[in-house]
Amino acid sequence: MAASYTLYGTKGSGSAAVEAALTIAAIPFRSVDAASWEPGPGLDELTRVNPLAQIPTLVLPDGTVMTESAAILVHLGLAHPASGLLPAEASRRAQVIRGLVYIAANCYAAIGVIDYPERWCSDADDATKDRIRAGTRARLHHLWDVFADTFPAQPFLGGEQLGGLDLLAAVVSKWSGARKHLAQSRPAFSALLARIESEPRVAAIFVRHWPTA
Ligand SMILES: N[C@@H](CCC(=O)N[C@@H](CS)C(=O)NCC(=O)O)C(=O)O
């Protein structure tokens, strides 16, 4: 059967969260290796659908282009309720949507500053870029501490079963020293992240994206 979803992404990137979500929902998809930092046909194809050339980008069977990790995970959860990507109960679902937007708006956005400080400061020399990176990294670690204090594991972030918020938290916390920081500052949350990425349905995906982690 031809896959009708197309996922643009690459190893070690945010596309891992969407790959895991599609897998949990048992949705077949075509994978295109693409990233703004990897010139080639994949990037050319990605840029045609997402002018920011950011990943994850997911093209739905009807051609609808989805960007923004949180929006993609909410959409998949709503379109495939049996997947458990979003909780069925309204208050829990509201908290999961809050958590997804929190990660995208705060943590993922900070990663974009750390990776590309020159986009956020005109005429930045190397010392200025280093200062932007250091400040943003400290802020990112604080943002994760607040996330850990705000969103309780029960035992997963959306309730009894692994869901979209777990996937985005486990992926976005892989970067910029967040895991090392959380192991010290929030050990219970750190243990939750380890539990998420070792959940049998997604464990192989995490190992493939982060083989040495
Ligand atoms: N707001 C987007 C951010 C996505 C993003 O920044 N992805 C990174 C890879 S993990 C990317 O493609 N960066 C390349 C670039 O911005 O040029 C989301 O939540 O999905």
Side-chain angles (χ1 to χ4, degrees), residues 34-103:
S36 70
W37 58 92
E38 284 170 4
L43 176 58
D44 297 342
E45 193 179 324
L46 169 64
T47 309
R48 281 197 289 276
V49 291
N50 178 359
L52 286 181
Q54 287 187 334
I55 48 176
T57 292
L58 182 70
V59 180
L60 308 184
D62 68 356
T64 301
V65 177
M66 289 296 295
T67 65
E68 311 310 323
S69 47
I72 294 170
L73 293 168
V74 169
H75 168 72
L76 291 176
L78 291 173
H80 300 272
S83 65
L85 288 170
L86 284 179
E89 196 275 315
S91 296
R92 275 192 170 179
R93 188 170 60 240
Q95 280 304 301
V96 162
I97 293 170
R98 176 189 174 199
L100 286 166
V101 174
Y102 179 104
I103 292 175

